[in-house]
Amino acid sequence: MPVSVTNSKLIYDALKECDIRLVSALPETWLVHLIRSAEEDPEMILVRLAKEEEAVGISAGAHFAGVKSAMLMQNHGFLASINGIVSFAHLYKIPLLMLISYRGSFGERDPWQTQGGNVTEPVLRALRIPYFFLDALDTVKKRIRQAQTLAESSLQPVALLLTRDLMWEEQ
Amino acid sequence: MLRLDCLRSVYPELENGLVVTIMGAVAAELHSLGHRPNFFYLQHAMGLASSTGLGLALCLPEQTVIVFDGDGSLLMNLGSLTTMARYRPKKLVHVVFDNESLLSVGGFPTATSTGTDLEGIARSSGIPRVITVRSVESFKAAVSDAMQGSELTTIIAKVEAKGPAGYVTDLALLENRFQFRRHIQSLKGR
């Protein structure tokens, strides 16, 4: 599978360095190694979801408990979580660190991913969710740290878009 | 059976747990009995009260967490039953007030009024203990047992579709949220 193992590991290690102790996830191709890392890590609470919106409630519960968490989801999962983000995370000022795989963007071969790719950034902007890209090895660690810092200080959702350049190794 | 009577019957015991409620009548009625810093009322985001309880229970396994859910809210997030069942925190108590109605928006009937069986759905989702109660006495006993037990429990409480006159309380949403978190952090120092 051409999902980058090395870069997934880099992302996971950066999350650990931010003291993330709970990860919620709904599997998708680009996230498999990240989820596996969480599964094999006895220090990490991994919550496998039925639908991504659940993760908003779970991360809120973790925040109340004083535990830092991250959400792993595809952009379509982000789209499926919007009411939870608005009616819980925004309404109650809950910090969320969302790692969103940016499917349907440049280079996408799966036709079914392409509409979600078109609307991901416009929807993030409409929701006024600060976002940045994870697209190069040398900035992964810093950007995850910065996103986590902003989520905690602003008490709001912050998104990192996992790009093809970082996650996929073309064959 | 009235929801308010159910809540009143377990109110003293709720001091010993972390309580998450859904919006509308459940929040207003619990609040009317007397707010406590260990109560969090999720005044929107229907369906996510159970997910919030799960997040709390997974992060604080020694704490008893009680979720007061409703049929309308749970029907919006049935997948939550499968996620709770997957991780089955021992001290999570999931109460569902089933009045077969979306009461706070005008009493429109939900699918439980036409035969959908939440007890069956919870059981088939893998929730280890599921019970339906129809009297205040059996409600009180079921909640007490679940709070003292060590198994994830879903309690379906069949209640009348009657609620309070109003739903807005004098507790601001953010005040509630910050107080709840601060209360939990204070428990850690004990």
Side-chain angles (χ1 to χ4, degrees):
Chain A
M1 191 184 292
V3 181
S4 172
V5 178
T6 314
N7 296 356
S8 297
K9 180 83 170 61
L10 189 72
I11 295 168
Y12 189 77
D13 290 346
L15 290 173
K16 290 278 288 186
E17 281 181 34
C18 290
D19 203 24
I20 301 296
R21 276 187 42 223
L22 182 147
V23 163
S24 60
L26 205 140
E28 83 112 6
T29 314
W30 289 13
L31 301 174
V32 288
H33 301 306
L34 274 166
I35 294 171
R36 196 160 295 146
S37 295
E39 192 172 49
E40 290 166 357
D41 182 353
E43 292 177 349
M44 190 65 80
I45 301 169
L46 170 66
V47 187
R48 294 175 180 271
L49 308 163
K51 194 171 182 179
E52 292 86 348
E53 192 185 12
E54 294 172 63
V56 179
I58 289 166
S59 276
H63 174 69
F64 294 148
V67 169
K68 293 189 173 72
S69 69
M71 301 155 68
L72 302 179
M73 57 175 69
Q74 199 194 76
N75 45 353
H76 295 85
F78 159 66
L79 295 174
S81 308
I82 288 174
N83 183 53
I85 290 168
V86 173
S87 302
F88 197 164
H90 282 157
L91 191 62
Y92 281 94
K93 293 192 75 71
I94 306 294
L96 299 179
L97 179 60
M98 302 191 290
L99 274 69
I100 301 169
S101 60
Y102 196 178
R103 302 299 307 268
S105 188
F106 281 23
E108 181 65 61
R109 291 195 180 98
D110 295 344
W112 46 87
Q113 306 286 13
T114 54
Q115 287 302 309
N118 285 351
V119 301
T120 299
E121 288 185 68
V123 171
L124 282 165
R125 282 196 292 271
L127 295 172
R128 298 186 184 178
I129 294 174
Y131 69 94
F132 222 145
F133 302 91
L134 287 189
D135 52 7
L137 273 177
D138 55 346
T139 50
V140 164
K141 199 169 144 180
K142 185 173 75 181
R143 284 194 184 156
I144 288 178
R145 165 68 70 185
Q146 289 174 336
Q148 213 272 332
T149 301
L150 180 62
E152 290 287 331
S153 65
S154 62
L155 299 173
Q156 66 180 344
V158 172
L160 286 166
L161 293 172
L162 310 184
T163 62
R164 178 174 301 273
D165 287 343
L166 187 73
M167 303 307 292
W168 199 252
E169 289 167 350
E170 294 293 347
Q171 289 177 319
Chain B
M1 175 162 75
L2 291 174
R3 184 183 39 245
L4 182 59
D5 292 335
C6 291
L7 288 169
R8 190 179 284 122
S9 76
V10 297
Y11 181 78
E13 285 189 68
L14 298 180
E15 198 166 9
N16 305 316
L18 301 174
V19 179
V20 179
T21 80
I22 57 165
M23 66 187 301
V26 181
E29 286 181 350
L30 181 62
H31 184 269
S32 75
L33 294 173
H35 175 65
R36 287 175 175 155
N38 59 322
F39 296 172
F40 176 67
Y41 317 94
L42 180 54
Q43 296 283 15
H44 213 323
M46 282 180 71
L48 295 188
S50 57
S51 306
T52 307
L54 177 62
L56 279 166
L58 290 173
C59 293
L60 301 168
E62 305 304 317
Q63 280 288 329
T64 300
V65 177
I66 306 120
V67 174
F68 289 116
D69 212 336
D71 52 309
S73 285
L74 184 57
L75 286 167
M76 287 195 194
N77 188 11
L78 285 174
S80 183
L81 287 170
T82 67
T83 309
M84 286 193 289
R86 191 167 193 167
Y87 299 98
R88 51 187 68 189
K90 289 186 165 67
K91 299 184 77 62
L92 177 59
V93 182
H94 179 224
V95 178
V96 185
F97 288 115
D98 181 5
N99 60 10
E100 304 184 356
S101 166
L102 291 162
L103 184 68
S104 39
V105 291
F108 298 97
T110 67
T112 63
S113 74
T114 55
T116 295
D117 168 18
L118 289 176
E119 178 183 340
I121 294 172
R123 202 179 294 287
S124 301
S125 298
I127 304 286
R129 277 188 81 230
V130 186
I131 180 171
T132 296
V133 294
R134 296 169 192 279
S135 72
V136 175
E137 296 71 36
S138 51
F139 176 84
K140 185 172 191 284
V143 172
S144 293
D145 286 353
M147 283 182 73
Q148 285 152 30
S150 59
E151 209 167 29
L152 168 64
T153 305
T154 293
I155 298 164
I156 312 291
K158 299 294 278 190
V159 292
E160 292 174 48
K162 287 182 183 163
Y167 299 112
V168 178
T169 68
D170 63 359
L171 181 66
L173 274 56
L174 290 178
E175 182 182 3
N176 179 211
R177 166 251 190 274
F178 285 112
Q179 183 188 49
F180 184 65
R181 185 173 193 269
R182 191 161 288 128
H183 169 76
I184 295 172
Q185 300 316 308
S186 76
L187 296 175
K188 291 181 176 173
R190 289 182 194 172

